[in-house]
Amino acid sequence: VVNLGWISMGKKVEVFERKFSEYVGADHAIAVNNGTSALHLSLIAMGIKEGDEVLVPDITFISTANAVLYERAKPVVVECNPKTYNILLDDAEKRITNKTKAIIPVDMNGMPADYDEILQFADKHNLSVIADSAESLGALYKGQKTGAIAPLHIFSFFPNKNITTGEGGMITTDDEKLAEKIRKLRNQGQDYRYNHVMLGYNYRMNDVLAVIGIEQLKKFGYFTKIRNRNFNFHYNFFKKLDKYFIVPKVNKNVKTNFLAYPIILKNNVKFSRKDFQVHLEKNGIQTRPIFTGNILRHPAFKNLVSNKNKLNSFKNSDYIMKYGLLIGCHQGLSTKEISYIHSTILNFKNIKGRK
């Protein structure tokens, strides 16, 4: 790319967009500089404005709610399913008002949302749908890849995602008018060079990152194979320890491409998540919280606590926040390393010798 003399957004971005749209089965793919920008542009393209309300799940990465706030709209937090961690529509129904304009379902940890139900719910309430598929590239819902189900899907290429460009994101859609608007928005509102037709942003991906993305897509089948292998090793291991841990549920209509393996402690175990986490970290095994947990418990979002968003009304999210963590199942882990993780868990003082 450097030798070609053009490293900003150019031909390689176009190639990456074309290959990505072909992979997910969408008519259009628009590359941007990260997943948060993809969310922001999608909200603008859908016409979300100040005072509007947008339904977002309580368990997600913080940018899902942040992007709503960028447009001075209000994120209305919705409880999650305790088994899949995805948005609960029964709870969403209770939070609908005449200001509700959109819903952002998140394919949490690579598990596709129930899109038939989401789209029916949105149609019933006249809501725009922006699918946050940042973690679910390669996952299937009823045989269809995420990226071509909702009116808009967004993806992230942060290093922990299923493919990476270091930093980067993508928006996919079958709607030509939405795609055209988003392309202008990401490039300072230009319809052609130095002709600015709307307020826009510098959210472009450059050709250097696009080349990385092109090469990552070539290897994605292999990445997925190893991730699924590692996830299944973890799943079968933790099934034998169901006295201590809640085994994740995979819906029958989906094929999940898990971002990481979720460990949820049962509330009657004789040890804390912190003690278990410290044991793993001391033995060189990285862990992560399950993203934000209850968003409303973060200082940045205390102003969202209200009669509608009561702090203590999100019992599922609070439970996951208190008892949950993630461990790796990515393609960089060998079977030997997975076995080491398992033996380290069995050597934890409260589990040792128990299978």
Side-chain angles (χ1 to χ4, degrees):
V1 174
V2 174
N3 290 338
L4 292 174
W6 189 275
I7 61 173
S8 61
M9 188 174 71
K11 296 295 184 183
K12 296 300 181 183
V13 168
E14 292 177 8
V15 171
F16 184 35
E17 290 173 334
R18 185 179 72 251
K19 290 183 178 295
F20 194 90
S21 65
E22 289 171 354
Y23 175 78
V24 302
D27 290 342
H28 305 278
I30 305 99
V32 292
N33 57 344
N34 57 58
T36 305
S37 298
L39 281 167
H40 187 201
L41 294 185
S42 296
L43 286 160
I44 298 169
M46 287 296 199
I48 300 303
K49 61 185 184 304
E50 184 172 358
D52 290 343
E53 294 180 354
V54 179
L55 300 172
V56 300
D58 201 15
I59 296 285
T60 182
F61 185 59
I62 206 73
S63 60
T64 311
N66 279 348
V68 177
L69 292 169
Y70 294 164
E71 288 306 297
R72 301 183 183 276
K74 181 180 180 180
V76 175
V77 179
V78 179
E79 180 65 288
C80 71
N81 184 307
K83 294 182 178 179
T84 66
Y85 323 129
N86 284 341
I87 196 166
L88 268 180
L89 292 182
D90 287 346
D91 190 62
E93 187 81 43
K94 302 172 187 176
R95 303 176 191 280
I96 291 283
T97 72
N98 59 3
K99 294 182 179 180
T100 311
K101 303 301 180 184
I103 183 171
I104 307 179
V106 177
D107 300 331
M108 191 61 206
N109 198 34
M111 172 83 74
D114 190 329
Y115 280 104
D116 283 353
E117 290 191 1
I118 293 285
L119 294 172
Q120 288 171 15
F121 177 85
D123 186 60
K124 174 183 175 182
H125 295 288
N126 195 28
L127 304 179
S128 298
V129 179
I130 299 166
D132 186 339
S133 300
E135 301 166 7
S136 68
L137 181 62
L140 303 176
Y141 176 77
K142 294 186 176 180
Q144 191 171 8
K145 289 175 182 169
T146 56
I149 306 170
L152 286 173
H153 286 259
I154 73 94
F155 295 89
S156 169
F157 306 133
F158 190 71
N160 68 340
K161 299 303 190 291
N162 296 333
I163 67 169
T164 185
T165 57
E167 290 278 5
M170 192 75 75
I171 304 165
T172 58
T173 183
D174 287 337
D175 189 313
E176 186 173 356
K177 289 183 178 179
L178 279 177
E180 182 181 354
K181 185 174 184 179
I182 292 168
R183 288 191 181 100
K184 293 173 185 176
L185 286 167
R186 73 162 170 190
N187 191 22
Q188 301 288 16
Q190 298 178 89
D191 60 352
Y192 57 88
R193 199 170 188 183
Y194 300 128
N195 190 60
H196 304 268
V197 295
M198 62 179 69
L199 176 66
Y201 303 85
N202 184 2
Y203 284 173
R204 299 182 298 266
M205 176 181 281
N206 63 55
D207 270 14
V208 176
L209 300 187
V211 167
I212 297 172
I214 293 166
E215 293 304 311
Q216 288 272 294
L217 274 178
K218 292 177 183 178
K219 301 174 183 178
F220 186 53
Y222 169 77
F223 292 166
T224 300
K225 178 181 177 181
I226 301 303
R227 276 182 179 268
N228 288 335
R229 179 201 71 187
N230 290 344
F231 177 86
N232 288 331
F233 281 155
H234 283 324
Y235 183 83
N236 291 328
F237 171 79
F238 281 100
K239 274 202 307 186
K240 299 174 184 177
L241 297 175
D242 60 358
K243 178 180 179 180
Y244 309 99
F245 306 104
I246 298 171
V247 177
K249 179 185 177 181
V250 178
N251 290 336
K252 63 181 180 180
N253 291 325
V254 307
K255 181 178 180 182
T256 299
N257 199 8
F258 276 98
L259 182 73
Y261 188 88
I263 299 175
I264 311 291
L265 277 62
K266 291 190 171 180
N267 61 4
N268 61 350
V269 296
K270 304 300 183 184
F271 56 92
S272 69
R273 184 192 71 171
K274 182 178 178 181
D275 288 344
F276 182 63
Q277 203 166 3
V278 167
H279 171 74
L280 295 177
E281 295 280 352
K282 280 185 175 179
N283 285 279
I285 299 167
Q286 289 189 3
T287 66
R288 297 286 187 274
I290 298 187
F291 297 98
T292 58
N294 184 341
I295 282 178
L296 298 177
R297 294 195 180 278
H298 290 260
F301 289 92
K302 63 183 180 181
N303 62 322
L304 293 181
V305 178
S306 64
N307 289 333
K308 184 180 291 186
N309 288 334
K310 291 181 179 178
L311 188 59
N312 294 317
S313 64
F314 297 91
K315 294 181 179 179
N316 297 340
S317 303
D318 276 337
Y319 188 96
I320 291 168
M321 190 175 192
K322 182 177 180 180
Y323 293 104
L325 68 149
L326 299 171
I327 59 172
C329 64
H330 57 81
Q331 63 270 15
L333 289 171
S334 66
T335 54
K336 183 178 180 180
E337 288 167 324
I338 296 291
S339 295
Y340 172 74
I341 292 171
H342 296 169
S343 63
T344 301
I345 290 169
L346 291 176
N347 285 330
F348 183 54
K349 63 182 178 180
N350 291 286
I351 298 178
K352 189 173 183 180
R354 302 173 185 179
K355 297 185 180 180

